[in-house]
Amino acid sequence: MNVEELLKEVELFLEIEFEDDVRQKLADYCGLILEWNQRINLISRKSEYEVLKTGLIESFSLVEILEYCGGEDMIDIGSGGGIPGMIAAIMLPDSNFLLVDSVGKKINVLDDISRRLNLQNVEVRKARLEEISKEYEGKFDTLFTRGVGDHDKLMSHFKKVINDYGTILILSGEDKIKDKVYEDADFNENPYLDGRVIITIEK
């Protein structure tokens, strides 16, 4: 499989067609991730295309929500290789994204990709969430994250960086539904991926 075939599979699965400029940037993004993955471990090398396919699909499910309630300024905590933050930034060029990770090598990758794709709406930052919550208190309309740490310990920081009307969106497995930290959250099954949920928390 190549990148073009991968994107075609994603489009068929989602029953959509990406606009030409978005499709080209997504193709370039996937190509760069595969290139970088030969040097540092970003995604499983045994199933790179399957990981990217799932990542694109789950990112699209997030973008569908962000289009309506995301606002102008968004932050992705634990950005890793850019799923979902970089993909969301490609699909939503009129919003601003801060992609945060505590691992320097991953931030170098994100910085390289955002520059090579000429993404003017992306800023990347190497930092821990505790630092970000102090520096950007009340700054963001939406915080989103995918599979990052112990939310029971992180939730206070999540809430600190969003504004008074802000939203927290967590892409997670359905096994998290019973966690006490989510007792006031809304849960929606991911419409495209079995066993995945989108957790919504209002400030």
Side-chain angles (χ1 to χ4, degrees):
M1 181 184 291
N2 58 37
V3 167
E4 289 300 322
E5 291 170 336
L6 169 67
L7 285 173
K8 190 62 178 177
E9 280 196 10
V10 171
E11 288 177 319
L12 287 171
F13 182 87
L14 295 172
E15 297 182 342
I16 63 166
E17 286 188 11
F18 295 118
E19 295 182 4
D20 290 344
D21 57 337
V22 170
R23 196 177 196 282
Q24 184 59 58
K25 276 191 165 55
L26 289 175
D28 292 342
Y29 165 78
C30 290
L32 290 169
I33 282 293
L34 292 170
E35 176 186 315
W36 267 105
N37 208 44
Q38 300 306 306
R39 286 182 265 176
I40 69 171
N41 188 29
L42 296 167
I43 59 178
S44 171
R45 290 172 182 160
K46 293 181 179 179
S47 54
E48 290 176 320
Y49 283 94
E50 191 60 36
V51 171
L52 281 174
K53 179 180 177 180
T54 301
L56 286 163
I57 291 168
E58 190 160 32
S59 298
F60 180 79
S61 70
L62 174 68
V63 166
E64 286 187 312
I65 298 172
L66 295 178
E67 284 182 312
Y68 292 99
C69 69
E72 184 175 333
D73 295 307
M74 309 189 211
I75 181 170
D76 176 20
I77 300 297
S79 299
I83 300 172
M86 190 74 74
I87 296 171
I90 290 170
M91 293 185 183
L92 299 172
D94 293 328
S95 294
N96 302 310
F97 292 82
L98 176 62
L99 310 187
V100 178
D101 204 284
S102 62
V103 180
K105 289 181 180 180
K106 293 178 180 179
I107 286 299
N108 290 340
V109 172
L110 294 173
D111 184 55
D112 177 72
I113 291 176
S114 66
R115 286 189 291 103
R116 290 167 74 175
L117 296 183
N118 194 30
L119 296 179
Q120 301 297 315
N121 62 332
V122 170
E123 179 184 352
V124 302
R125 182 78 186 276
K126 178 185 179 295
R128 297 184 62 81
L129 179 58
E130 292 84 352
E131 301 171 66
I132 292 296
S133 68
K134 289 180 182 178
E135 184 175 347
Y136 292 97
E137 184 173 356
K139 162 69 175 174
F140 296 96
D141 301 301
T142 301
L143 176 148
F144 57 86
T145 187
R146 180 178 184 253
V148 173
D150 184 349
H151 294 164
D152 192 29
K153 296 179 180 178
L154 301 178
M155 189 60 67
S156 62
H157 295 291
F158 287 170
K159 290 182 177 179
K160 194 172 180 181
V161 300
I162 58 174
N163 59 42
D164 290 340
Y165 304 99
T167 303
I168 298 167
L169 297 169
I170 299 171
L171 304 179
S172 187
E174 60 185 10
D175 59 306
K176 297 291 186 181
I177 290 176
K178 296 181 180 179
D179 286 8
K180 187 177 180 180
V181 69
Y182 303 131
E183 59 187 1
D184 296 322
D186 291 324
F187 290 84
N188 290 288
E189 293 183 1
N190 191 297
Y192 307 110
L193 297 171
D194 292 339
R196 299 291 292 176
V197 295
I198 301 172
I199 304 169
T200 304
I201 300 169
E202 305 290 343
K203 190 165 184 178

